[in-house]
Amino acid sequence: MMTYKAVLFDLDGTLLDSIEDMGDSLNRVLVDNGFPTHNRDAYCRFVGDGATNLISRALPEDKRADTIIRSCLDAFLEDYDKNWNVKTKLYDGVPELLDALTSRGLKISVLSNKPHRYTLKCMEGFLSDWNFDVVFGQRDDVPRKPDPAGALEIAEQLNILPSDFLYLGDTETDLKTSFAAGMFPVGVLWGFRSAEELRKNGATVLINRPLEALALLD
């Protein structure tokens, strides 16, 4: 059994059930612009690759001009800034997992494609009870996931080899990131995507509940 020294988490869909607040904010923007809205299941497919891609996917195909995407993105971020914590919550079992990892002395970190400012806001609002060693959202000067740059930066800051990380995420993007960074990928099934998608993209381990991750450490 491999001995891991750190766990890197995705944020939305892995630690936080945040899909309704994101969807509600974007739906209000779509209504304001006369575009069709979407349900929760659709937003579960749209998220994962950054805010700009989220906006593009939610817009009608013939309305995806850069100017429209930028205008809707600005409006979305303005709305989300006021409504990021209305329905968002930690997934069941996440506090217990974080407590267990902390008690074992493992380093814990977060890498998200959510804009960095909002990643920090969500961390402060929902995860301040735990001492995360490094937290990165999407930053303008760093390629977003699935590019491994952010994950490798975390490994370097912690002075821990990438191969000593478990990487927990809920999307194809997370799996690709973990493989590219040389971390051990763990697909979580309580998030935004299906077991089929995770298996198709190389997940060798899938877990149904957060505490199941501890079995990979024993």
mmCIF file of all heavy atoms in Angstrom, residues 2 16 65 68 171 198-199 218:
data_model
loop_
_atom_site.group_PDB
_atom_site.id
_atom_site.type_symbol
_atom_site.label_atom_id
_atom_site.label_comp_id
_atom_site.label_asym_id
_atom_site.label_seq_id
_atom_site.Cartn_x
_atom_site.Cartn_y
_atom_site.Cartn_z
ATOM 1 N N MET A 2 0.599 2.148 -0.923
ATOM 2 C CA MET A 2 1.350 3.385 -1.007
ATOM 3 C C MET A 2 1.058 4.244 0.214
ATOM 4 O O MET A 2 -0.078 4.320 0.682
ATOM 5 C CB MET A 2 0.946 4.135 -2.276
ATOM 6 C CG MET A 2 1.615 5.467 -2.470
ATOM 7 S SD MET A 2 3.342 5.295 -2.910
ATOM 8 C CE MET A 2 3.820 7.036 -2.969
ATOM 9 N N LEU A 16 -17.694 21.049 -1.652
ATOM 10 C CA LEU A 16 -18.892 21.874 -1.549
ATOM 11 C C LEU A 16 -19.945 21.492 -2.575
ATOM 12 O O LEU A 16 -19.639 21.355 -3.764
ATOM 13 C CB LEU A 16 -18.541 23.346 -1.775
ATOM 14 C CG LEU A 16 -17.724 24.076 -0.724
ATOM 15 C CD1 LEU A 16 -17.541 25.534 -1.135
ATOM 16 C CD2 LEU A 16 -18.375 23.997 0.648
ATOM 17 N N ALA A 65 -20.820 34.777 -28.833
ATOM 18 C CA ALA A 65 -19.806 35.755 -29.226
ATOM 19 C C ALA A 65 -19.049 36.217 -27.985
ATOM 20 O O ALA A 65 -19.593 36.240 -26.867
ATOM 21 C CB ALA A 65 -20.456 36.946 -29.910
ATOM 22 N N ILE A 68 -20.717 38.881 -25.818
ATOM 23 C CA ILE A 68 -21.857 38.417 -25.013
ATOM 24 C C ILE A 68 -21.354 37.601 -23.832
ATOM 25 O O ILE A 68 -21.838 37.746 -22.699
ATOM 26 C CB ILE A 68 -22.820 37.587 -25.880
ATOM 27 C CG1 ILE A 68 -23.414 38.451 -26.993
ATOM 28 C CG2 ILE A 68 -23.927 36.970 -25.016
ATOM 29 C CD1 ILE A 68 -24.311 37.695 -27.957
ATOM 30 N N THR A 171 -14.772 15.282 -11.582
ATOM 31 C CA THR A 171 -14.985 15.452 -13.016
ATOM 32 C C THR A 171 -13.829 14.903 -13.838
ATOM 33 O O THR A 171 -12.737 14.639 -13.329
ATOM 34 C CB THR A 171 -15.157 16.937 -13.385
ATOM 35 O OG1 THR A 171 -13.903 17.612 -13.204
ATOM 36 C CG2 THR A 171 -16.234 17.601 -12.556
ATOM 37 N N LEU A 198 -16.328 9.187 -15.073
ATOM 38 C CA LEU A 198 -15.061 9.059 -14.361
ATOM 39 C C LEU A 198 -14.301 7.812 -14.796
ATOM 40 O O LEU A 198 -13.079 7.847 -14.976
ATOM 41 C CB LEU A 198 -15.323 9.046 -12.856
ATOM 42 C CG LEU A 198 -15.942 10.329 -12.291
ATOM 43 C CD1 LEU A 198 -16.221 10.190 -10.805
ATOM 44 C CD2 LEU A 198 -15.052 11.530 -12.556
ATOM 45 N N ARG A 199 -15.027 6.720 -14.991
ATOM 46 C CA ARG A 199 -14.358 5.495 -15.449
ATOM 47 C C ARG A 199 -13.790 5.669 -16.852
ATOM 48 O O ARG A 199 -12.676 5.221 -17.151
ATOM 49 C CB ARG A 199 -15.334 4.319 -15.423
ATOM 50 C CG ARG A 199 -15.715 3.842 -14.030
ATOM 51 C CD ARG A 199 -16.412 2.493 -14.080
ATOM 52 N NE ARG A 199 -16.898 2.092 -12.779
ATOM 53 C CZ ARG A 199 -18.155 2.253 -12.372
ATOM 54 N NH1 ARG A 199 -19.055 2.803 -13.187
ATOM 55 N NH2 ARG A 199 -18.526 1.858 -11.173
ATOM 56 N N ASP A 218 -4.758 3.497 4.673
ATOM 57 C CA ASP A 218 -4.475 2.461 5.684
ATOM 58 C C ASP A 218 -3.725 1.269 5.102
ATOM 59 O O ASP A 218 -3.768 1.029 3.904
ATOM 60 C CB ASP A 218 -5.790 1.984 6.328
ATOM 61 C CG ASP A 218 -6.485 3.099 7.061
ATOM 62 O OD1 ASP A 218 -5.789 3.977 7.611
ATOM 63 O OD2 ASP A 218 -7.734 3.104 7.099
#
